[in-house]
Amino acid sequence: MESGWREIYELEQAASSIHNELLRRAALLRRHWNYSTRRIYQLPQEVFTEILILDIVSSGSEERKGFGSFHRKQPSRRTQLCHVSHLFLQTILGTPRLWADIQWDRDDFTRCLKMSEQAPLSIRCLESNHTRLSGSVAMEEFLRAIWQHSRRWETLSLKLRYSISQLQFLEFEAPQLRNLNLDVMGPLTESSVIKISGYPSLRNLSLHMTGLSQWNDLDLSHLRSLSLSWILREGGPSVEKLIETLKVAPSLRRLSLYRVTIVSSNKEQHLEPQIVHLPALLALRLDELPTGLADYLITNIRTPHLKSFCVRGLHLKRVDNPTSDQNPYHHFFQVLIPKLTAATTGLTISNEVSSRAVYSHADNSSAERSSDAIEGSADFGFRAEDSLEAVRQMVQFITSIGIAVPITILANGRGPHLDVIYSTIPSFPVDVLGKLPTVTKISAFSLADALNILGFLGSLRRDEETGQLRWACPQLQLLQFTEVRDLTLEHCQAFLDARYGDGNPLLVEGEIVQRPPRVTIDHAFFSEDE
């Protein structure tokens, strides 16, 4: 009986100790809270308001929504802040700008439009919300409501389904518009065309599958970012308008043109060279443009501070003497060559057989980042009627500038296309391997190319410059033939015997030739280094 009372007493003492500790911690938190809130309340009103605006704008990110928000509707950030204190409530209810940032599926847009009064509006429809809710009646109501306030738009970022992009939503007057990001999704063979009136002065313009009917109705002289993609029919700027825009936009930092129909307004007149200086440009992408357009832009644009670029679809006529002033691509090569030679991880050469194009990508993982987080990188490529000749030209260019970084060869491109896998005609010129001593990895999907590569690497050849016998690709580490059909163990064993034999040096015509390091063959019947 006595032991039972003792246990009860000990439990009460423990509970009392815990209670006292909780009271102590609560007092500390209260003092800390009072100190923190005093500092907040001492801020100037305009600074306090800007902090609240930034907090509300960023509240749409997944991190701010919190775990489990996908299943449970969370109170809006404005509602949460209103419950902090009377000062927060007063400031939020009395500041129209705090209601001017409207995000679909996050805010009560009807109330926000009313409370924002005449403040410039920022309208956003996030991609995650678009895939789940666009096309619904609620989205129609949202668009109809915000379209009535288009004269107040400062930022408009929307993704719309083709089925609900009615004509009423493709024409608007927005004189205060500064940032426009539109993605009106539909069939890949079509693109929507919008009309903007009010002559807005844009800072950022991004259009995906959405063209403009009248490019002259915009003030693009203050443009900082221009991104156009998948404008396949009408709605793209003419070449003349594009050049005019670039000439009057010295603050442009990003330019991206991908699959855009851009043609000359006068098809009978030859385009004359027009030098365009873009001193602030940091990122450039030109990919899958009409024939000759990428070449025209590259030979006319001057970009001394370019950090990141992807330029594909070039029809390079001159890859010899890339550093010569007589080469029309001289200024582009001035930017390109340092990026390629400074690659820290390596260089990838990809032979995209299906599109008759060859690409070169410099991997530079330690590149410095600029103030706007553009990472240094280089990706360029060109097309040719003969894919074999395109690869030879790329290798000629790479070797002419003396690149000495690890190189990866994708002999059949990045994807196992069926027409390549079953082709009996080689699509990769193996003779270029003799000119690339720093190759460390080769991949292929075609049996014809895999056998050619094994045969070339398994034989000794004389160096064209020194006349000495040597093995091609002495630094080779991996042959990735995982997807090659009908490649047999006998094929690979014959290559291994020829290249490595018993491991001892060869004596050929009085010349001692060392064996290269052993290579790994990645295939179903090879699970480890041979």
Side-chain angles (χ1 to χ4, degrees), residues 196 199-202 205 212 214-220 241:
I196 307 174
Y199 200 67
S201 179
L202 294 179
L205 176 59
L212 283 175
Q214 295 177 319
W215 281 85
N216 290 329
D217 290 346
L218 304 175
D219 176 9
L220 302 177
K241 181 58 183 178

Side-chain angles (χ1 to χ4, degrees), residues 219-359:
D219 176 9
L220 302 177
S221 60
H222 299 90
L223 205 60
R224 296 177 182 174
S225 175
L226 176 61
S227 176
L228 307 176
S229 61
W230 285 96
I231 305 177
L232 302 179
R233 293 187 178 179
E234 56 181 336
S238 65
V239 177
E240 291 81 2
K241 181 58 183 178
L242 177 62
I243 294 297
E244 177 188 333
T245 299
L246 298 179
K247 282 186 174 182
V248 299
S251 300
L252 191 68
R253 301 170 69 85
R254 288 180 173 88
L255 174 61
S256 176
L257 304 175
Y258 175 66
R259 291 197 176 186
V260 185
T261 301
I262 302 176
V263 296
S264 174
S265 56
N266 189 344
K267 297 182 180 180
E268 298 181 357
Q269 184 176 355
H270 178 71
L271 287 173
E272 296 295 331
Q274 299 186 60
I275 303 302
V276 179
H277 294 276
L278 297 175
L281 193 67
L282 298 177
L284 173 67
R285 182 186 185 189
L286 306 175
D287 197 355
E288 299 197 33
L289 298 178
T291 301
L293 180 57
D295 294 78
Y296 178 76
L297 293 175
I298 280 302
T299 53
N300 286 281
I301 290 178
R302 302 292 183 264
T303 56
H305 303 298
L306 196 63
K307 289 182 175 294
S308 172
F309 60 87
C310 173
V311 180
R312 294 184 172 185
L314 294 171
H315 293 262
L316 292 174
K317 303 299 182 182
R318 293 279 304 278
V319 294
D320 59 307
N321 299 324
T323 58
S324 170
D325 293 340
Q326 303 304 314
N327 193 311
Y329 300 90
H330 170 63
H331 290 280
F332 172 60
F333 288 148
Q334 276 188 320
V335 177
L336 171 66
I337 292 175
K339 295 291 183 186
L340 296 179
T341 54
T344 56
T345 306
L347 186 72
T348 299
I349 300 176
S350 178
N351 179 29
E352 302 294 337
V353 182
S354 58
S355 57
R356 299 194 304 275
V358 57
Y359 304 134

Side-chain angles (χ1 to χ4, degrees), residues 67-97:
F67 180 78
S69 62
F70 181 82
H71 303 284
R72 184 177 67 255
K73 181 74 173 180
Q74 299 291 324
S76 70
R77 188 61 177 167
R78 293 184 188 88
T79 302
Q80 295 174 1
L81 293 175
C82 283
H83 288 86
V84 173
S85 71
H86 182 68
L87 174 63
F88 278 70
L89 176 64
Q90 252 188 342
T91 303
I92 292 174
L93 293 180
T95 309
R97 286 183 60 204

